[in-house]
Every structure is written in C-alpha cells, then in structure tokens.
Amino acid sequence: MMTCAMCDNKKPLKKTKITHKYKECGLDNVTLVGLEYFRCEKCGEEYYGYGNMEKLNEVIANTLIRKKEFLSGFEVRFLRKHLGYSGSMFSKIIGYDGATLSRLEKGAQPVTKAFDRLIRFTVAAKIPDRNYDLHDQILKGEGMELKRIELTAMAHGEWKLKVA
Ligand SMILES: [Zn+2]
C-alpha cells in the first residue's frame, strides 16, 4: 500500500491505470498505456508507477536506434541521458565539441548520416543483450518506420512495444 509522501494523509492512495504521454523523457511521441497512477485526495500530489524506469527507457533506446530515419536531436539527447552522460562527457566519447553536440541536440544543426551512425553505435555498445544487429540492419537497408512509440505495461515490469 502506498501512502502520500507529501502530506499527512495516512490513507492508502487509490491506484488507477492511465494512458500517459511520457513527455518527462524529453520526447513527445511516447505513450505509456496502463501506467499505474496514484493521486492524493488530500493534497493533490500525483504519483506515477513507472516501476523500473531504467528498463522502460532501455526499451525506448533500443527502439530509437532501430528506426529507419535519422535520429532527431531530442532523440540523441534522450539516448545520451539514458547512458547517464552529461553533454561534456558524451561529447568527449564521440569526439565532438560540446557546443556542436548541444546544437545538434537542440535541432539547431541538422543530424548527418555519419553523426546518426556514430550515436547508434555508441549507444549499442552500452546496451547488453540486444536481439538485433545494427550492421545487418544498415547493410540491408532495414529499420523501423517510427512516428510514435506505444508501450503497454505488462506483468513483472515488462513493457509491450508497439511502433506506429
Ligand atoms: Zn498528500
């Protein structure tokens, strides 16, 4: 049972399931279906039951690096943050200066094919147990048409992925 952490309401919070635009991740095209949601009747504080957020974000990261079109700046930023890097650390790793990376992430400078690939492989190098091969995907010209990501909450903190 979960109680409110923000006020003295001792009553257990009522759990509902909602469909939620996951804008907190920095992307506006990710929808979570069946997300657990709690709201304190006394103070109005809201709580989202993301469960293992690392796992959730990893599903999104794995999906982004398999898309057919180039990554957007916001997607690059999501991926960098998912790996846990600051802008300056990540720019060191990929061999870009921080200002250029910042412009790319903000969309002030267009993502090139070489930059897109660099980001994908940098991310893939840190994600274990992938069930796909990025080399293969690129050589075969495969990849997902990706406009929207929909994730449905399943048992045991798993997420079912649907790409549209
Ligand atoms: Zn409260």
Side-chain angles (χ1 to χ4, degrees):
M1 279 298 148
M2 183 168 155
T3 54
C4 185
M6 299 305 286
C7 74
D8 61 358
N9 183 5
K10 292 281 174 282
K11 274 198 280 180
L13 302 180
K14 206 174 7 156
K15 181 170 83 181
T16 49
K17 294 200 172 179
I18 58 164
T19 295
H20 177 65
K21 278 252 180 197
Y22 185 33
K23 285 189 180 156
E24 306 90 291
C25 76
L27 304 172
D28 62 6
N29 62 343
V30 182
T31 304
L32 304 178
V33 178
L35 181 70
E36 289 184 0
Y37 171 80
F38 308 83
R39 186 177 179 281
C40 176
E41 288 170 0
K42 193 166 179 188
C43 74
E45 184 68 16
E46 297 177 302
Y47 301 89
Y48 296 96
Y50 291 115
N52 183 345
M53 216 161 194
E54 183 76 15
K55 200 165 165 181
L56 167 62
N57 289 343
E58 188 155 306
V59 176
I60 299 171
N62 266 311
T63 307
L64 291 178
I65 62 174
R66 298 180 71 186
K67 71 183 276 199
K68 197 161 195 156
E69 289 166 34
F70 290 175
L71 296 165
S72 72
F74 291 139
E75 289 168 340
V76 172
R77 187 183 59 187
F78 170 87
L79 291 166
R80 167 176 65 75
K81 288 184 170 179
H82 174 61
L83 297 187
Y85 291 125
S86 67
S88 67
M89 282 168 82
F90 195 59
S91 59
K92 251 181 221 167
I93 291 165
I94 61 173
Y96 272 61
D97 68 85
T100 308
L101 174 63
S102 172
R103 279 198 304 276
L104 284 155
E105 287 190 359
K106 286 176 187 147
Q109 186 172 325
V111 170
T112 61
K113 185 189 270 188
F115 181 73
D116 174 273
R117 300 251 166 104
L118 173 63
I119 298 300
R120 287 178 200 234
F121 285 114
T122 304
V123 173
K126 286 294 245 187
I127 295 181
D129 305 327
R130 298 185 308 279
N131 61 354
Y132 56 89
D133 182 337
L134 272 187
H135 295 204
D136 214 39
Q137 177 184 304
I138 289 168
L139 288 171
K140 290 180 180 163
E142 290 171 347
M144 292 186 278
E145 300 286 349
L146 192 160
K147 296 270 179 285
R148 294 188 320 107
I149 297 174
E150 189 181 283
L151 294 159
T152 302
M154 308 293 283
H156 312 298
E158 300 289 337
W159 294 90
K160 194 175 83 186
L161 173 71
K162 198 171 100 188
V163 170

